[in-house]
Amino acid sequence: MSVNRGVAGGAGAALTSPFNVWKIREDFPILGRKVHGKPLVYLDNAATTQKPRAVIDAVSQFYSNDCANIHRGVHWLSERSTGLYEDARVAVQRFLGAADAREIIFVRGATEGINLVAQSYGRRHVGAGDEVLISAMEHHSNIVPWQLLCEEKGARLRVAPIDDRGELIVSEFGKLLSSRTRIVAVNHVSNALGTVNPVADLIAMAHSAGAVVLVDGAQAAPHLPVNVREMDCDFYCFSGHKIYGPSGVGVLYGKAALLESMPPYQGGGDMIRSVTFEKTTFNDLPYRFEAGTPNIAGVIGLGAAIGYVSRTGLEHIAAYERDLLDYATQAVSAIPGVRVIGTAREKAGVLSFVVDGIHPHDAGTILDRQGIAIRAGHHCAQPVMERFGVPATSRASFAFYNTREEADALARGILKVKEIFA
Amino acid sequence: MSGLEDLYQQVIVDHSRRPRNFRPLQGSRQAEGYNPLCGDRVTIYVNLEGDKVKEVAFQGSGCAISTASASLLTEALKGKTLAEAGQMFERFHELVTHGGAAPASLGKLAAFAGVSEYPTRVKCATLPWHTLRAALKNAPEVVSTE
């Protein structure tokens, strides 16, 4: 038990939460390790999350006992691996509240999910003079695919502005919607600011204008309950490695009617029904969009991660993390000279900040030497940095295995940063 | 906390907070350095007189290591011949990549010996030096050490 405690201390408010964070930490082997001789304080969860034993074991078990290609072999092992792979699809379907497992496409990550929609749906439905609307708080991965599409088609990329808190200005978003808007692409939670967007409202507005909506859920799926039918999005994507699963795997959800109307994204094996040199007929959903041998072990690991998160309960996770983020925000913003970047009323997981006169990379290096892992930089969201007039920020991002003691360690670490530059 | 004080020596902190020769130079050779991943930017200006560095200055924004490196570069190079500047580049590069004892000829630049223990920060320390090399050639391409 004590090996995974990380920072000294232990009791306190954490134990009164709906779940026991110290018990959860025991499920994540890496949290017991030291960095530079200090207990690891891992606060870079928006970049990637650590993996529970259940995920590591599922991947290891697949390679040790169940490895075969899927949908191909007549042999027993192939049937078994196919079953495990498709079980994961059903787990994701339930996790997202999707109507049908055929609506779940396995991809490499959220980035590939967005590119798939831009290249397949976008190239078919966006033409010269049409518009794609995004927000000013998007990750580069939800900007660049749309820029490429717009350049190719002679379409226009519109950007809905954000205010000084880092909240989307919904009225401005509404003004930018028109009969020319074909696609709206917004994140559910901002990776640089932590802002939670009112996606259900935005989707309803976009639908009234006749646009389809893609929601980038990379930073939301690990932190908030998601129900794609309630929010009524047309596409939703997230990355496995940000939700305690393996890297190299992710999910694109799409409404069946839309996916069925879309041309293939990549050609290859498994996405076809029959191939001759004259004519190829494509497979049904979801296989049409899964060309080639997929990341089978990754998908099975992702299924295990979804199972782990679901057993813990996203409502409990969200409540615990919200309390932790509030606590950390207070602790950090109480330090003179610290400015929090991103003060939206609804936030999840992310605490971005700058320290007066100290570059985030120097802060990052000094914190690292204390065992505290944070991200320093532009977080692949350079337009957000520009909006707030900073070249970069330090970003602490939290998961449900983090503790108030770790937030305290972060605050002490920042004091050390200031001491070195005093 | 061992190590941190080696990286952020007083002279480095001082030069990062109060960079010397922080200005443009008229009619000089110049080049721009930019590391897009971390956002560090530096422009180095050099005026030669014969084969000697008559004046050297810089502008830019970045972390303490890159700012102090540019600032100390400008102090170290003034009055040096091009051959001496080239030698200093090599010695500085060796120091920040491999550590060890700094040769006496590096003077205050010895403060960067600690950088070799921080592989991710070597590019910060070397950006101004690579940019200097480009400035001496008046190279139009933007220099990067990432």
Side-chain angles (χ1 to χ4, degrees), chain A residues 359 361-362 365 369 416 421, chain B residues 1 8 17 38 64 118 121:
Chain A
H359 196 280
H361 284 115
D362 297 312
T365 292
R369 286 286 150 154
K416 174 75 187 175
F421 281 92
Chain B
M1 213 53 59
Y8 293 104
R17 303 199 74 127
C38 65
Y118 297 79
R121 307 304 299 277

Side-chain angles (χ1 to χ4, degrees), chain A residues 38 356-359 361-370 376-378 382 391-392 416 418-422, chain B residues 1-5 7-8 10 13 16-17 34 36-40 61-65 117-118 120-121 123:
Chain A
K38 305 278 162 61
D356 258 359
I358 299 173
H359 196 280
H361 284 115
D362 297 312
T365 292
I366 296 166
L367 289 169
D368 174 60
R369 286 286 150 154
Q370 298 165 77
H378 54 57
Q382 285 176 335
K416 174 75 187 175
K418 290 189 61 179
E419 191 185 308
I420 285 181
F421 281 92
Chain B
M1 213 53 59
S2 74
L4 272 177
E5 281 77 7
L7 180 64
Y8 293 104
Q10 203 48 51
V13 170
S16 75
R17 303 199 74 127
Y34 177 45
L37 288 179
C38 65
D40 287 354
S61 65
C63 65
I65 303 300
E117 297 293 315
Y118 297 79
T120 59
R121 307 304 299 277
K123 64 183 164 105

Side-chain angles (χ1 to χ4, degrees), chain B residues 7-136:
Chain B
L7 180 64
Y8 293 104
Q9 294 199 16
Q10 203 48 51
V11 63
I12 291 181
V13 170
D14 174 45
H15 275 256
S16 75
R17 303 199 74 127
R18 296 187 303 119
R20 320 297 201 269
N21 302 306
F22 191 83
R23 62 175 189 275
L25 290 181
Q26 294 303 316
S28 67
R29 296 164 186 245
Q30 66 181 69
E32 192 190 337
Y34 177 45
N35 281 343
L37 288 179
C38 65
D40 287 354
R41 269 182 199 283
V42 66
T43 305
I44 303 274
Y45 307 91
V46 198
N47 274 326
L48 295 180
E49 196 170 60
D51 80 331
K52 274 196 173 169
V53 176
K54 186 182 168 207
E55 278 185 300
V56 52
F58 83 106
Q59 283 189 302
S61 65
C63 65
I65 303 300
S66 72
T67 305
S69 174
S71 175
L72 282 153
L73 173 154
T74 63
E75 285 197 336
L77 282 182
K78 193 168 176 183
K80 295 284 188 295
T81 66
L82 288 177
E84 287 167 336
Q87 208 172 43
M88 203 171 258
F89 177 101
E90 298 301 334
R91 286 181 179 155
F92 181 80
H93 204 269
E94 174 67 20
L95 181 71
V96 298
T97 49
H98 294 103
S105 62
L106 281 181
K108 280 192 207 168
L109 294 173
F112 289 92
V115 173
S116 65
E117 297 293 315
Y118 297 79
T120 59
R121 307 304 299 277
V122 169
K123 64 183 164 105
C124 313
T126 56
L127 181 66
W129 286 86
H130 284 275
T131 308
L132 166 80
R133 201 178 240 190
L136 288 170

